[in-house]
Amino acid sequence: MNRKYMQQELNQTISHLSNLVGKGSFLRGSPVIMKRVCGNSNCRCKLEGKLHTSLYISKNKDGARSMIYVPKNLEEEVKAKLIAYKKVKDLTEKISEINYSDLEAKKKGDV
């Protein structure tokens, strides 16, 4: 990879990452759709077997997994924050790869 192109790519990636991180609007976790019966004896889930669906976030901290319920009115916001976290993670990985390429170029004396 060309050194000038590498630096340009690195700067663009860092800029994108800083925009995402600066907003601070991301969540680490995995979305999980759960189907359940609500408990109301007159509800369609009990009478017709049409289960309710709910969104949860599966989160692992210190080796312990927890499930966090997401109310319907917050589902879109939470999904966007989960996607933003994945972008942060991907951009961080991209920056690391660019820096590894730079390290290899320096080792070979291509700088």
Side-chain angles (χ1 to χ4, degrees):
M1 184 184 289
N2 176 322
R3 177 108 175 112
K4 184 178 177 183
Y5 172 76
M6 205 178 341
Q7 189 61 44
Q8 182 182 5
E9 183 81 11
L10 180 62
N11 290 341
Q12 287 175 347
T13 306
I14 289 171
S15 175
H16 192 174
L17 178 61
S18 67
N19 286 338
L20 281 172
V21 173
K23 291 178 184 174
S25 189
F26 50 89
L27 290 169
R28 183 181 61 85
S30 301
V32 177
I33 303 293
M34 304 276 286
K35 293 186 176 186
R36 60 181 172 69
V37 176
C38 70
N40 182 347
S41 59
N42 293 324
C43 184
R44 66 184 169 98
C45 64
K46 194 80 156 174
L47 300 174
E48 301 169 21
K50 294 181 181 177
L51 302 179
H52 298 282
T53 58
S54 300
L55 177 65
Y56 287 78
I57 299 173
S58 173
K59 168 181 141 173
N60 194 354
K61 184 175 181 183
D62 300 328
R65 179 161 311 280
S66 62
M67 299 285 279
I68 301 164
Y69 171 71
V70 178
K72 288 272 186 215
N73 62 326
L74 297 177
E75 285 184 2
E76 292 307 313
E77 179 183 343
V78 167
K79 286 178 184 177
K81 288 181 178 187
L82 291 169
I83 290 168
Y85 178 80
K86 183 177 178 344
K87 286 180 185 175
V88 167
K89 189 175 166 187
D90 291 346
L91 289 169
T92 303
E93 184 62 30
K94 185 175 181 180
I95 291 169
S96 179
E97 289 303 315
I98 291 170
N99 284 321
Y100 274 119
S101 295
D102 186 45
L103 175 63
E104 290 298 320
K106 286 179 179 176
K107 282 173 45 179
K108 291 179 183 177
D110 295 342
V111 178

